[in-house]
Amino acid sequence: GPNNPSNQPHFPGVNITGGGGSAGTDGPATQLAGAGGNGSVLIRYAVANVGGTKASGGAVSSYNGKTIHTFISSGSFVTPSTFSETVEYVVVAGGGGGGYGGNAEGSGGGGAGGYRTGTTPITGSNTISIQVGSGGNGGAAGAATSGGPSYFGTPITAAGGGAGASGTGSYNNALDGGSGGGGGYNDSTGASGNTPPVSPPQGNDGGDFAGYSGAGGGGAGGAGQDATTPSGAGTGGDGGIGIQIPSTFRNPGGTPIGAPGPG
């Protein structure tokens, strides 16, 4: 959020992408920080004919010899007794909320929800629970909260993004998560990503606070930027960059998941 005591917009993380929320403005206690965006779960497998479907659950689409199930809310992935496929998955958790701004004391941005992708074999009749993590609350004269976890069956879990640190008082420190929340006046060091530790990593660390300016939360593709102090109150840090989903999940003729990234 901007370093200004007047009313300014506070941006939420984008739903489906698990983006972290922006920090709250320096200023009155009514200045609410941005909430984190909800996550999503995507599942893909090959089909013999375009339009063929071997399982149910979520929004189902077919393209180029593959079937994709997109979950933007919690549900179940159900396979029949004849199912025998190695499925590919993308699991994105909810993003952390941005920290409360306080008065002339910068707060940190929320970390992105954890990002996991890989393959797993599934055979026979199964009902697999899908949870789509919700975004954390932005701070408002109180603690921000971390995003909720997403999972494709309990073994494959993405951790929610960590909340950004508050700018004043003892409301909350920057919190660990899939990606860590950015540091603020209340907690100058940004939180770590990949908590609990997993391999491969789910996200990156939040940046560090400096000179009354808050830091950015981490993203799936890079760490949050530290605040800087070239003069005066300084400049807040940008959030960490995101990451594109695998090309196997992209359907040029369908509704895009999230927004295009660089390249």
Side-chain angles (χ1 to χ4, degrees):
N3 180 13
N4 191 310
S6 61
N7 291 334
Q8 298 286 344
H10 307 100
F11 301 101
V14 177
N15 285 332
I16 304 177
T17 71
S22 73
T25 299
D26 282 353
T30 56
Q31 299 299 308
L32 180 68
N38 297 338
S40 56
V41 176
L42 314 177
I43 302 163
R44 181 202 67 85
Y45 51 86
V47 294
N49 300 297
V50 174
T53 302
K54 300 178 182 179
S56 63
V60 183
S61 62
S62 296
Y63 172 73
N64 197 26
K66 63 199 179 195
T67 296
I68 300 170
H69 295 247
T70 301
F71 290 83
I72 60 173
S73 60
S74 299
S76 297
F77 179 67
V78 181
T79 62
S81 59
T82 55
F83 193 89
S84 180
E85 298 291 339
T86 296
V87 303
E88 184 179 13
Y89 58 84
V90 170
V91 181
V92 180
Y100 162 62
N103 291 290
E105 298 166 346
S107 59
Y115 169 89
R116 296 192 66 183
T117 185
T119 60
T120 187
I122 297 177
T123 302
S125 178
N126 295 275
T127 299
I128 300 172
S129 294
I130 304 293
Q131 176 170 295
V132 173
S134 58
N137 295 325
T145 61
S146 296
S150 294
Y151 57 73
F152 171 36
T154 52
I156 303 170
T157 301
S166 69
T168 188
S170 57
Y171 297 125
N172 67 282
N173 293 334
L175 300 181
D176 298 333
S179 282
Y185 185 89
N186 194 68
D187 181 26
S188 61
T189 302
S192 65
N194 310 318
T195 301
V198 295
S199 180
Q202 294 188 8
N204 291 280
D205 296 349
D208 296 340
F209 167 89
Y212 293 94
S213 294
Q225 186 182 75
D226 294 341
T228 57
T229 53
S231 63
T235 302
D238 293 339
I241 193 171
I243 196 169
Q244 287 185 309
I245 60 175
S247 60
T248 44
F249 286 92
R250 302 177 204 161
N251 179 353
T255 301
I257 304 301

